[in-house]
Amino acid sequence: MKLKIQPLALLTCVLLTAALLFSLAALAIAPTTVSAEGATYYVDTSSGSDDTGDGSSGSPWATIQYAVNSADNGDMINVAGGTYNENIAITKSLGIYGSGPSNSTIDGGESGEVVGVGAENVTFKGFTVTGSGTGAPGIGIQASSCTIEDNDVTGNDTGIYVDSGVDAGTVSINLNNISGNTITDIAY
């Protein structure tokens, strides 16, 4: 008995086979995207070390700036209570979280801007920021899409300054106590 195949059925079979092979080939060469949260690092001025620490909770770094320099975009930095005598330049998209304004203080020693936010997508939360230099802010914002929240900003020349080139509509300044600054509390 001879099997007779209709031309339309043959064409349909060939097209379905080609489509299947094409789909399998596309899956084999498609880039794979792995979504992962950034790393979490720890800073503790009393028990940490920038020389021997690795940023883990058991072996924290001692300074916030060292943690910022060591972190990658998307990472989170948890800062233990204490007074951090330093000026910080945030140049990466990071979440930096203190232990609350009554516990974590950043003191700029009356030298320049205490905290400079120069990268987009920064969250800075839970600090007292004090001790800016003459003509400098406690927190200076030079980038859009930032969140400054739950901080006490006091004892500075200017409390918080948002640079004129920044889209202020994308900067969230919420639940901060901004008072006791020499020139002004907040400026745009």
Side-chain angles (χ1 to χ4, degrees):
M1 173 174 221
K2 265 184 149 180
L3 189 60
K4 188 173 183 184
I5 299 177
Q6 296 292 327
L8 185 56
L10 180 61
L11 180 61
T12 302
C13 184
V14 169
L15 289 176
L16 286 174
T17 302
L20 178 62
L21 290 174
F22 180 78
S23 297
L24 290 174
L27 286 174
I29 62 172
T32 304
T33 303
V34 176
S35 177
E37 291 184 26
T40 300
Y41 295 109
Y42 297 87
V43 177
D44 189 330
T45 191
S46 64
S47 68
S49 171
D50 292 344
D51 295 325
T52 60
D54 61 10
S56 66
S57 60
S59 185
W61 289 313
T63 62
I64 301 166
Q65 187 63 59
Y66 190 88
V68 168
N69 295 346
S70 300
D72 292 319
N73 286 323
D75 289 349
M76 183 170 66
I77 299 169
N78 288 323
V79 180
T83 299
Y84 296 83
N85 296 305
E86 58 182 304
N87 298 74
I88 301 162
I90 305 170
T91 56
K92 301 171 187 171
S93 298
L94 300 170
I96 303 175
Y97 300 92
S99 298
S102 61
N103 297 314
S104 297
T105 299
I106 302 171
D107 187 335
E110 298 182 14
S111 174
E113 181 176 71
V114 181
V115 177
V117 180
E120 292 188 352
N121 301 312
V122 168
T123 298
F124 183 79
K125 181 177 181 176
F127 293 92
T128 290
V129 177
T130 190
S132 74
T134 302
I139 300 174
I141 302 169
Q142 297 90 30
S144 302
S145 303
C146 298
T147 300
I148 309 299
E149 186 173 276
D150 189 30
N151 300 290
D152 287 348
V153 185
T154 186
N156 301 289
D157 223 28
T158 299
I160 296 177
Y161 177 77
V162 180
D163 191 74
S164 62
V166 173
D167 180 1
T170 67
V171 176
S172 176
I173 300 174
N174 294 314
L175 305 173
N176 295 285
N177 176 20
I178 308 167
S179 62
N181 297 292
T182 305
I183 296 175
T184 186
D185 290 328
I186 190 162
Y188 291 91

